[in-house]
Amino acid sequence: MSLLTDGIKKNLPLRISLIVSSAISLLLMVLLLFMLYYSRKSMKEDALNRASNSLEQAMTNIDNILLSVEETIGNTYYRMHLDKPELLPYYSQKITETNPYISHCVIALDGPDNPYKEENWFTQTMKSKKGKWIVQPVDTTQKGDRFISICLPLYKSGDGLIGVIRSDVSLTLLSNLIAKAKPSANSYCMLLDNDGSLIIGPDELQNFDINELLQDKSIHHAFKAMTSGKEGYVPFSFFDSNFLLFYQPFELVEVPYRIMEDMHWSIGVAYFEEDIVGDFFRLFNLTVIFAIVGIALLYLHIRLILTHRLKPLKRLTEQAEHIAQGNYNEPFNDRANKDEIGMLQRHFKVMKDSVATQVSELDALNGAIKERSKELQKAYKEAEQANKLKTIFLHNMTNQMIEPTMTIRDNVNTLSQYNKETSEESLNQLVDSIIHKSQSITKLLSQMITATEQEMKEEKGGEA
């Protein structure tokens, strides 16, 4: 790690490229996250709008079918002659032929010969005396087909309630019609009764028992939310796939004389989550790939530009290192650009020339100093030699003065012991010897004084 860090620190283009690329990468990351956040939000809003439109379209399609069936039965009902029971099969056939959505029609009169008097749809209608839509589990005339029936009470003037007219609409037909309203290829619409039973839904759900499906917590939560009578959406899982269930209460369009009883149905559209966010994640992956490739290309581009633009600075650094090693007279590359680096090169060249001139002057001065030093060393050696000679001379002179001085001392000692017995001749000899030795000493002192005066004159002459 230290080698990598040291390599980055020593490589200016690499360091600048990494800094610029990191800054741009951070900026792009922030912008990308910002864009992706609002893209995901926009996709969810679009999915919600599409689901709402699909719900409205599906509800409209179903309601149109139900309304057309109600109108067909109502128009026939007002033209029926209930006092002629033999015409009832004709009316049933007429209703079936008039409306293509009606697969079967039954007109049942109350009486002992009524084969439907024990069936749920007949008893409920006779008891409530109101028209209503009833979901039938299995069509009694068409085996295996499920259907929804509109049941209207029959009233005869003077007799009151005399029977029920029932028209069946195939749920398979409704499923095929509302399937066209699904917002995406993998989504589907469904219609639930108030007890949570599936009225219309995909074939995958039709093959399962509703109680078995509700054991799954996510499906149970979705069905419970859907039958709450409210509007919204909830996630759930089915066959290891994630869905968003958008739901709302099923409402009939208000038309004069229409049966407006609240059926407590709920309509929903199961939106495959991959259809909502699949494009988002594909866009995200492509954006990340393009961002990485773009940053890499940007880094390489910046690196190439910086390497090219910093070549003069690199050469300047190499020349500075050579100059630092003492190569002041090395030729300088003066092909400078007009930018800041070129200005630095020109200033560096001026500084280098100035330093070279000063170094030359310092070398000349150093040479002169060395010459003077040599001369001073030579003079010092000569002075030292002269001082030694002077010392030897003084030593010799002092040695020459020792013998006369000792003789004078001895003679003086002898004179100090003078008595009457000493001959005059001996005295004269002693005095002559003292005088002679004194003259020798005086002569040596005169030579020393003369030599000293001569040396002082020479020194004064040298100073002058």
Side-chain angles (χ1 to χ4, degrees):
M1 188 67 181
S2 60
L3 295 176
L4 178 61
T5 305
D6 293 339
I8 293 175
K9 289 182 179 179
K10 293 179 180 179
N11 195 328
L12 181 60
L14 175 60
R15 191 163 66 251
I16 297 177
S17 301
L18 289 176
I19 292 173
V20 175
S21 300
S22 300
I24 295 178
S25 301
L26 180 61
L27 178 61
L28 287 177
M29 185 181 298
V30 172
L31 292 176
L32 179 62
L33 292 176
F34 184 79
M35 181 188 68
L36 292 176
Y37 169 77
Y38 281 98
S39 297
R40 185 184 180 93
K41 183 179 179 181
S42 177
M43 286 183 178
K44 282 192 173 182
E45 291 176 355
D46 179 67
L48 180 61
N49 292 331
R50 291 170 64 182
S52 299
N53 294 333
S54 299
L55 287 175
E56 291 294 335
Q57 183 180 351
M59 189 164 58
T60 301
N61 291 340
I62 295 175
D63 188 58
N64 288 337
I65 294 173
L66 299 182
L67 181 60
S68 68
V69 172
E70 292 176 12
E71 289 177 347
T72 300
I73 296 175
N75 293 334
T76 304
Y77 176 72
Y78 286 114
R79 291 180 174 83
M80 289 176 62
H81 297 283
L82 298 178
D83 54 346
K84 298 180 179 180
E86 65 276 9
L87 295 177
L88 294 182
Y90 166 76
Y91 292 131
S92 298
Q93 183 180 0
K94 189 69 175 178
I95 290 173
T96 304
E97 293 176 351
T98 303
N99 195 309
Y101 300 125
I102 300 176
S103 59
H104 183 251
C105 182
V106 175
I107 300 176
L109 297 179
D110 189 18
D113 297 332
N114 181 12
Y116 306 105
K117 63 182 179 180
E118 300 297 333
E119 294 191 11
N120 185 46
W121 60 271
F122 184 82
T123 57
Q124 283 188 14
T125 306
M126 292 294 292
K127 184 177 180 181
S128 64
K129 299 180 181 181
K130 294 181 180 179
K132 62 172 56 181
W133 285 93
I134 299 175
V135 179
Q136 302 295 341
V138 178
D139 190 347
T140 56
T141 60
Q142 300 180 14
K143 299 296 182 181
D145 191 13
R146 300 180 68 248
F147 61 92
I148 182 173
S149 303
I150 174 69
C151 300
L152 294 177
L154 291 176
Y155 289 93
K156 183 179 179 182
S157 179
D159 295 336
L161 180 63
I162 62 171
V164 177
I165 179 171
R166 189 195 84 184
S167 296
D168 302 333
V169 178
S170 172
L171 290 181
T172 303
L173 174 64
L174 289 180
S175 298
N176 293 334
L177 289 175
I178 68 172
K180 299 178 181 179
K182 62 182 183 178
S184 65
N186 298 312
S187 61
Y188 50 83
C189 295
M190 63 177 65
L191 185 66
L192 293 185
D193 205 346
N194 58 348
D195 59 354
S197 59
L198 188 66
I199 301 175
I200 298 174
D203 295 336
E204 292 85 352
L205 290 179
Q206 300 288 358
N207 296 329
F208 286 89
D209 182 13
I210 189 66
N211 295 322
E212 181 181 350
L213 285 175
L214 292 178
Q215 291 179 1
D216 187 284
K217 291 184 178 180
S218 64
I219 296 179
H220 177 75
H221 179 66
F223 273 51
K224 185 177 180 180
M226 189 172 175
T227 56
S228 64
K230 298 179 181 179
E231 182 178 355
Y233 69 94
V234 63
F236 76 99
S237 298
F238 184 65
F239 285 129
D240 297 328
S241 299
N242 296 324
F243 292 86
L244 283 178
L245 177 62
F246 297 87
Y247 57 87
Q248 66 182 52
F250 185 88
E251 297 177 355
L252 298 174
V253 177
E254 187 173 354
V255 178
Y257 306 109
R258 187 181 186 184
I259 300 172
M260 295 304 297
E261 181 184 6
D262 188 1
M263 295 183 291
H264 302 288
W265 290 354
S266 296
I267 188 169
V269 54
Y271 211 142
F272 189 41
E273 192 172 12
E274 179 66 21
D275 293 342
I276 300 176
V277 297
D279 292 336
F280 169 80
F281 285 113
R282 284 188 287 272
L283 174 63
F284 176 81
N285 294 333
L286 288 175
T287 304
V288 170
I289 293 173
F290 284 129
I292 293 174
V293 173
I295 291 172
L297 293 176
L298 177 64
Y299 165 77
L300 293 176
H301 187 63
I302 294 174
R303 180 71 184 277
L304 290 175
I305 292 176
L306 288 176
T307 302
H308 175 71
R309 298 298 297 172
L310 293 178
K311 275 185 178 179
L313 187 60
K314 184 178 181 181
R315 290 196 298 267
L316 184 63
T317 303
E318 293 174 352
Q319 290 168 346
E321 291 177 354
H322 292 165
I323 292 173
Q325 294 173 1
N327 302 316
Y328 300 104
N329 295 322
E330 181 179 351
F332 188 81
N333 182 15
D334 57 353
R335 291 182 300 173
N337 298 324
K338 296 182 179 180
D339 54 9
E340 290 78 2
I341 296 178
M343 186 181 297
L344 178 62
Q345 285 180 305
R346 289 189 289 272
H347 290 326
F348 187 82
K349 183 177 183 300
V350 173
M351 182 189 70
K352 178 254 182 188
D353 294 339
S354 176
V355 170
T357 302
Q358 292 180 6
V359 168
S360 298
E361 293 177 355
L362 288 174
D363 289 341
L365 181 60
N366 190 29
I369 292 174
K370 287 182 178 179
E371 291 295 330
R372 293 294 301 272
S373 178
K374 290 179 180 179
E375 292 177 0
L376 290 174
Q377 288 179 357
K378 183 178 179 181
Y380 175 75
K381 290 180 179 179
E382 291 177 353
E384 190 177 26
Q385 186 67 25
N387 191 30
K388 289 181 179 179
L389 293 174
K390 185 193 299 183
T391 303
I392 294 172
F393 171 74
L394 291 175
H395 184 67
N396 292 332
M397 295 293 289
T398 305
N399 289 336
Q400 293 178 15
M401 292 172 65
I402 291 174
E403 189 272 329
T405 303
M406 295 299 291
T407 303
I408 293 173
R409 186 190 66 180
D410 294 337
N411 290 336
V412 171
N413 288 332
T414 303
L415 287 175
S416 64
Q417 296 174 4
Y418 170 76
N419 55 36
K420 292 179 179 182
E421 293 179 356
T422 305
S423 63
E424 184 177 355
E425 184 179 358
S426 297
L427 290 173
N428 291 333
Q429 288 179 353
L430 290 172
V431 172
D432 290 338
S433 177
I434 291 171
I435 293 171
H436 177 71
K437 296 299 182 182
S438 297
Q439 289 176 351
S440 297
I441 293 173
T442 301
K443 184 178 179 180
L444 289 171
L445 290 174
S446 297
Q447 291 178 356
M448 291 176 63
I449 291 171
T450 302
T452 302
E453 289 177 353
Q454 183 66 29
E455 185 179 355
M456 291 177 64
K457 287 179 180 180
E458 290 178 357
E459 289 179 356
K460 289 180 179 181
E463 291 177 0

